[in-house]
């Protein structure tokens, strides 16, 4: 259960332990989502005003995604002197990470005040529960940011465009990311996938966020399905009490066609929807 004072949850959000494959990264993956995992406490910070958006975002990864969300808070959360609506993201993570369905359960079962939003970030990797995660998310109006093959692709798109099927293999993504910017030269060396210091600063250089959104939108338009268009994306938040959409319609909120299989959107990342929704990047002038 959750406690509003500390925003803590128990570990009984469903899903027995699963062992994931290497995912092509060249390093062994830790077991994700076991019954023994503990969610990192989510300290509750009251909104500074009624206008501030509050988002609870559950992450598959233990380090990279939560640190990236902290970056969004510190860099853009104040609203930019009235340019955007101020926001506050509460990252939710767990030791050893979470499988996709457990990211959804983590925010679905979290008691929230009116107007607070629920999002999840998870990767393709070699997870077997992604269809369940998408169905559960649609039923609970939890926004999904899915990345294929991984969140590392989103980081890479800050520096360069990307195309070509990866078939779940993240090795080439990491290789390109290391070469794309000096700050990422040692990314994922000795399991260091942190996003802080110089790596965080690099994400602010030369309109990098705007470029990442443009590159991610391009991947939607290049989808081999043929009917996918980024202009069809739906970034606006949906009230938690709204009538649920079908899982296919929910998964199409990034602009992909409803009959485009999620697991075949390769490469792709929906993290750009979060930035557009928060007003960090205005993609109306496309």
């Amino acid at each position: 259960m959750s406690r509003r004072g500390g925003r803590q949850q128990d570990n009984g959000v469903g899903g027995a332990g699963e062992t994931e494959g290497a995912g092509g990264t060249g390093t062994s993956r830790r077991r994700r989502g076991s019954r023994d995992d503990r969610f990192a406490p989510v300290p509750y910070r009251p909104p500074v005003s009624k206008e501030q958006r509050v988002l609870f975002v559950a992450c598959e990864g233990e380090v990279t995604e939560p640190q990236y969300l902290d970056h969004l808070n510190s860099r853009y959360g104040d609203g930019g002197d009235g340019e955007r609506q101020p926001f506050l993201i509460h990252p939710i993570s767990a030791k050893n990470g979470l499988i996709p369905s457990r990211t959804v359960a983590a925010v679905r079962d979290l008691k929230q005040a009116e107007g607070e939003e629920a999002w999840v970030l998870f990767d393709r990797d070699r997870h077997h529960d992604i269809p369940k995660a998408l169905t559960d998310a649609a039923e609970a109006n939890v926004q999904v940011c899915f990345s294929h093959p991984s969140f590392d692709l989103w980081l890479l798109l800050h520096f360069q465009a990307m195309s070509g099927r990866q078939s779940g293999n993240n090795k080439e993504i990491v290789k390109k990311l290391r070469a794309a910017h000096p700050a990422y030269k040692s990314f994922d060396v000795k399991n260091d996938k942190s996003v802080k210091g110089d790596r965080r600063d690099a994400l602010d250089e030369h309109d990098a966020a705007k470029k990442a959104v443009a590159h991610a939108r391009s991947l939607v338009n290049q989808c081999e399905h043929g009917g996918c268009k980024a202009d069809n994306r739906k970034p606006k938040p949906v009230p938690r009490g709204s009538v649920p959409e079908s899982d296919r319609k929910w998964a199409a909120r990034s602009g992909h066609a409803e009959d485009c299989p999620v697991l075949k959107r390769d490469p792709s990342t929906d993290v750009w929807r979060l930035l557009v929704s928060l007003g960090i990047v205005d993609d109306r002038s496309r």
Side-chain angles (χ1 to χ4, degrees):
M1 61 170 35
S2 65
R3 293 189 307 215
R4 189 148 176 81
R7 290 296 189 181
Q8 295 184 3
Q9 297 171 277
D10 64 16
N11 64 330
V13 295
E18 293 190 16
T19 302
E20 302 301 333
T25 61
T27 59
S28 60
R29 279 195 173 273
R30 291 184 177 181
R31 176 175 48 88
R32 297 198 165 192
S34 77
R35 294 182 182 275
D36 295 329
D37 286 337
R38 295 289 187 272
F39 291 111
V42 185
Y44 180 68
R45 292 172 287 180
V48 297
S49 69
K50 293 182 179 180
E51 289 73 31
Q52 186 181 50
R53 286 176 63 180
V54 177
L55 302 85
F56 290 85
V57 184
C59 308
E60 173 191 339
E62 179 183 359
V63 176
T64 313
E65 294 94 322
Q67 289 186 356
Y68 175 75
L69 296 177
D70 286 338
H71 160 65
L72 296 185
N73 275 330
S74 61
R75 177 67 175 83
Y76 302 102
D78 63 358
D81 295 327
E83 297 175 6
R84 303 176 301 275
Q85 181 180 4
F87 64 82
L88 176 62
I89 299 174
H90 292 283
I92 299 174
S93 59
K95 184 178 180 180
N96 297 335
L98 295 168
I99 58 175
S101 60
R102 281 176 61 82
T103 64
V104 177
V107 290
R108 180 193 61 203
D109 298 342
L110 182 67
K111 291 182 180 179
Q112 296 174 317
E114 183 177 356
E116 295 178 346
E117 302 171 35
W119 293 67
V120 292
L121 305 179
F122 60 78
D123 302 342
R124 174 63 185 100
D125 288 332
R126 293 182 181 177
H127 295 306
H128 302 292
D129 67 329
I130 290 176
K132 172 177 171 53
L134 294 173
T135 298
D136 291 348
E139 291 177 351
N141 288 332
V142 174
Q143 301 281 350
V144 175
C145 290
F146 171 68
S147 296
H148 191 324
S150 75
F151 184 82
D152 300 341
L153 171 63
W154 172 246
L155 298 178
L156 174 63
L157 294 182
H158 284 72
F159 312 113
Q160 66 177 63
M162 181 68 187
S163 62
R165 292 179 61 85
Q166 302 301 304
S167 301
N169 191 323
N170 196 47
K171 187 175 181 179
E172 187 65 21
I173 299 294
V174 172
K175 179 180 178 180
K176 289 181 178 295
L177 179 57
R178 290 172 178 167
H181 195 284
Y184 286 85
K185 184 177 181 180
S186 60
F187 186 79
D188 203 14
V189 174
K190 296 182 179 180
N191 293 321
D192 177 14
K193 301 191 70 173
S194 63
V195 182
K196 55 186 180 181
D198 291 345
R199 292 178 185 173
R200 178 174 295 192
D201 294 341
L203 301 177
D204 290 330
E205 297 177 356
H206 312 300
D207 292 325
K210 185 176 181 179
K211 293 177 182 177
V213 169
H215 292 152
R217 285 174 48 84
S218 179
L219 289 178
V220 177
N221 296 332
Q222 295 173 29
C223 181
E224 63 181 16
H225 176 274
C228 303
K229 296 183 179 182
D231 284 357
N232 294 334
R233 92 287 186 275
K234 297 179 179 179
K236 292 184 178 180
V238 177
R240 296 294 299 279
S242 300
V243 176
E245 298 180 350
S246 69
D247 53 351
R248 292 177 66 180
K249 189 172 183 178
W250 194 249
R253 293 182 66 80
S254 59
H256 286 275
E258 290 185 26
D259 60 345
C260 177
V262 174
L263 300 184
K264 292 186 178 181
R265 299 173 185 177
D266 176 18
S268 69
T269 176
D270 301 333
V271 182
W272 69 281
R273 284 187 56 240
L274 176 61
L275 273 71
V276 171
S277 177
L278 292 172
I280 295 172
V281 174
D282 184 353
D283 73 332
R284 290 178 295 179
S285 57
R286 29 185 182 264

